Amino acid sequence: MKISQIQELLEAEVICGGNELDKEVSSACGSDMMSDVLAYVKDQAVLLTGLVNPQVVRTAEMMDMVCIVFVRSKAPTEEMITLAEEHGMVLLKTSKRMYEACGKLYAAGLGAKGVTV
Amino acid sequence: MSEAVRFHFTVDGDDFTSAGQASVQVKKNLRTLGIAPEIIRKVSIAMYEGEINMVIHAGGGEADVLIFEDRIEIHLCDNGPGIANIDLAMQEGFSTAPDNIRSLGFGAGMGLPNMKRYSDSITIDSALGKGTKILMTVNLS
Ligand SMILES: Nc1ncnc2c1ncn2[C@@H]1O[C@H](COP(=O)(O)OP(=O)(O)OP(=O)(O)O)[C@@H](O)[C@H]1O
Ligand SMILES: [Mg+2]
């Protein structure tokens, strides 16, 4: 699925990385715990989270993720946006809650493959 | 034998906002050096976990990354409280992190096990009241 489809499905606002929306992504994960993202994520390209701090962007960068979706209308700070821009990462913001946002993407075929338990 | 390439960082323990900066920089440097992506991934995650630990548990410290022909070494050194029981700390789920750390997205007790998983060897040298020294090695190829 393209990042642009994620944006449409979640009626999300593009905060930065607007020229990367054509990128293909094949799996995602949702978490507010960066510890778990670091421990369980393998090859997911997209992170859905309700947490807002610079470590969200840094953690995603460490895991080679390309897109972060902030749920519940959480807005990233200027510092986070600058960091994401440096890494060519797409930041999206949706008013949907975590459960619904993940469910919509999963139902549309964006799986969770690569999560190791 | 050529000299090792070395990166040094002081990790600020008073400002959580900056935690992880050194690891982000190391990842950038390793990319510039043309190191293989799988290796970069291992080094970055192992170092990032260690760097965050120095900030949340030890009030900051020093980090050194040395690149040799056959391996990359990550040295982390702090003057924090030390780890009372290393075997226990290495167990998944063991954490002494307070609630305010958990609300920042950390403190699941997964960091040290993850550092072991992503490095090819890890040695932890810790003394209560003195500090903690960690050496992680990632083999090249
Ligand atoms: N540098 C350090 N100085 C003092 N204690 C430490 C240090 N690193 C780890 N510890 C101790 O070891 C425990 C386990 O560390 P670990 O990284 O596995 O989990 P955590 O940091 O608590 O949570 P997470 O890494 O999942 O965010 C910590 O809770 C802390 O008590
Ligand atoms: Mg930790």
Side-chain angles (χ1 to χ4, degrees), chain A residues 35 38, chain B residues 48-54 56-57 94-95 97 101 106-113 115:
Chain A
S35 300
L38 286 158
Chain B
Y48 186 70
E49 293 277 18
E51 183 184 355
I52 302 270
N53 276 356
M54 286 204 294
I56 63 183
H57 304 299
F94 177 84
S95 175
I101 294 299
F106 293 91
M110 298 304 293
L112 282 171
M115 286 156 73

Side-chain angles (χ1 to χ4, degrees), chain A residues 32-44 51-64 79 83 86-87 116, chain B residues 16-21 23-25 27-28 31 37 41 44-45 48-49 52 92 102-110 114 117-118:
Chain A
D32 287 352
M33 275 305 270
M34 294 306 108
S35 300
D36 289 340
V37 173
L38 286 158
Y40 296 116
V41 164
K42 243 189 122 235
D43 284 315
Q44 284 80 356
L51 184 71
V52 171
N53 64 35
Q55 282 68 34
V56 174
V57 181
R58 293 197 188 108
T59 301
E61 160 65 4
M62 289 301 122
M63 306 311 288
D64 299 308
E79 185 188 3
L83 269 173
E86 275 172 30
H87 302 308
T116 55
Chain B
F16 181 77
T17 331
S18 66
Q21 256 174 5
S23 305
V24 169
Q25 188 58 48
K27 186 162 189 172
K28 230 184 257 176
R31 276 201 192 111
R41 174 92 169 243
S44 329
I45 297 173
Y48 186 70
E49 293 277 18
I52 302 270
E92 286 191 5
R102 228 150 277 148
S103 68
L104 293 168
F106 293 91
M110 298 304 293
N114 218 21
R117 179 149 73 108
Y118 281 102

Side-chain angles (χ1 to χ4, degrees), chain B residues 50-68:
Chain B
E51 183 184 355
I52 302 270
N53 276 356
M54 286 204 294
V55 176
I56 63 183
H57 304 299
E62 304 287 325
D64 287 280
V65 177
L66 282 83
I67 300 150
F68 297 93

Side-chain angles (χ1 to χ4, degrees), chain A residues 1-7 16-27 45-46 61 64-68 84-92 110, chain B residues 31:
Chain A
M1 165 181 312
K2 282 188 170 31
I3 295 178
S4 56
Q5 276 172 278
I6 296 178
Q7 185 215 339
C16 72
N19 46 4
E20 306 282 343
L21 299 184
D22 272 345
K23 238 181 219 165
E24 282 286 337
V25 291
S26 58
S27 61
V46 182
E61 160 65 4
D64 299 308
M65 296 172 124
V66 296
C67 173
I68 304 173
E85 281 171 340
E86 275 172 30
H87 302 308
M89 212 180 267
V90 180
L91 298 187
L92 301 177
L110 190 66
Chain B
R31 276 201 192 111

